[in-house]
Amino acid sequence: AAGRLSMFTDYQDNLFIAYYDVTVTNASAQKFDGTSWSYLGEGAGFTAGTGLYNTFAVDNVGTAFFTNQKAWPATGMEARKFENGAWSQLPDVTSINVNFQASVISPDNTLFVVSGDNSGTVKKLSATHDYWDQVGDTGFMLGAATFVDMVVGTNDKVYVSFNNSGHVHVYESDIDADADSFWTSVVDDNIAPAATSENYNSSLAIDSENNLYLAYVSNTAGGNKLNVK
C-alpha cells in the first residue's frame, strides 16, 4: 500500500513517482523508462523516518528532489536530491515542525518549497544547492493551513494556494522578493468556501500564458462538490 503520491515526467519523458511506502514505513521513489520500473537509489525506503507528509519534483535535467516532515522525535522539514544514481542530503528547509508542504521547479530550474512554517513560508534552493533563500515575508497564511500547493509562472511570479478558516486562498509574490516583501492575494482573500477535511483536497495549476486554475471541494453547505476556477 502507498499514500501521498506525487508523479512527474522529466525532459526525456521518463515517469517518476514518489510516495509513502507502507511496506517499509518510509518514503520510496521509482522511475519508469517506458519498459520497466526501477527504484531511485538502492531500493524501497530512502528517508530516515516515515516521510508521510512529503513533496517531490524533478528538474529539467532529471535531478529529483524530495522533501518531507522529519519523523518524531526530530522536528523540521528535510530535503534530498537524487542525481548520479544516489540520494544526497540537502540543508533542512526548516527546523520547525510542519506537515502540509509543496514544491515546484521554476522555468529557470530553481526548486521552490512552501510549508506552514511561521504560518506560511516560501523558500528557494540556491544554485549551489547548499542553502535556502526566503521568498517574501512569512505569515501570509494567517494560521494553520491544509492542502498547500504551488506553481511558478514564466512571468517571474510564484503562486501558493491553501485552505484554512473555511475558505480556499491563492497568494502571489515575485520569485526574487526579499523577506520584507509582502505576499498578496491574487483576488479576494477568501476565494470560495472550501472543505479542510483530510478526505478532500485543493490543487493549483498554471498554463503557458500564466493563467491560473484552482480546483477545490466546496464545504458541507455547498455539497462537498468539486469546483474549478
Side-chain angles (χ1 to χ4, degrees):
R4 300 197 182 276
L5 294 84
S6 298
M7 186 165 58
F8 292 92
T9 56
D10 67 7
Y11 68 107
Q12 295 178 322
D13 289 332
N14 296 304
L15 180 65
F16 290 79
I17 186 168
Y19 52 94
Y20 169 63
D21 192 336
V22 176
T23 60
V24 292
T25 62
N26 212 314
S28 295
Q30 297 191 51
K31 172 184 175 181
F32 184 69
D33 61 8
T35 302
S36 61
W37 288 95
S38 60
Y39 283 104
L40 300 189
E42 296 181 356
F46 60 85
T47 53
T50 60
L52 184 57
Y53 288 96
N54 62 69
T55 77
F56 184 58
V58 180
D59 71 13
N60 62 22
V61 295
T63 301
F65 297 90
F66 187 89
T67 71
N68 62 278
Q69 176 193 53
K70 283 190 169 183
W72 187 89
T75 61
M77 178 179 173
E78 59 185 353
R80 294 172 173 81
K81 68 177 178 180
F82 183 83
E83 62 180 357
N84 300 321
W87 288 99
S88 60
Q89 199 80 23
L90 297 171
D92 285 355
V93 182
T94 179
S95 60
I96 302 298
N97 193 40
V98 297
N99 44 36
F100 291 98
Q101 55 194 265
S103 65
V104 68
I105 302 294
S106 68
D108 70 355
N109 216 32
T110 300
L111 176 66
F112 284 74
V113 298
V114 59
S115 73
D117 180 9
N118 288 323
S119 295
T121 301
V122 173
K123 295 182 179 180
K124 62 181 179 180
L125 187 62
S126 68
T128 52
H129 294 180
D130 56 358
Y131 64 90
W132 295 93
D133 280 319
Q134 184 175 310
V135 180
D137 65 339
T138 65
F140 60 90
M141 293 179 181
L142 301 177
T146 58
F147 312 135
V148 179
D149 205 356
M150 171 191 285
V151 295
V152 178
T154 56
N155 57 353
D156 292 336
K157 294 280 189 179
V158 55
Y159 303 91
V160 173
S161 66
F162 57 94
N163 293 32
N164 69 4
S165 303
H167 288 79
V168 62
H169 316 264
V170 179
Y171 276 68
E172 68 177 1
S173 179
D174 293 331
I175 60 173
D176 293 320
D178 61 33
D180 295 322
S181 300
F182 294 116
W183 283 81
T184 57
S185 178
V186 297
V187 287
D188 295 335
D189 183 46
N190 296 327
I191 293 177
T196 55
S197 165
E198 281 276 10
N199 295 322
Y200 305 108
N201 211 324
S202 61
S203 186
L204 190 64
I206 192 169
D207 66 18
S208 60
E209 296 181 350
N210 297 309
N211 297 305
L212 294 175
Y213 301 87
L214 176 68
Y216 65 96
V217 176
S218 60
N219 61 8
T220 302
N224 292 140
K225 295 179 180 179
L226 176 63
N227 295 264
V228 179
K229 291 182 179 288

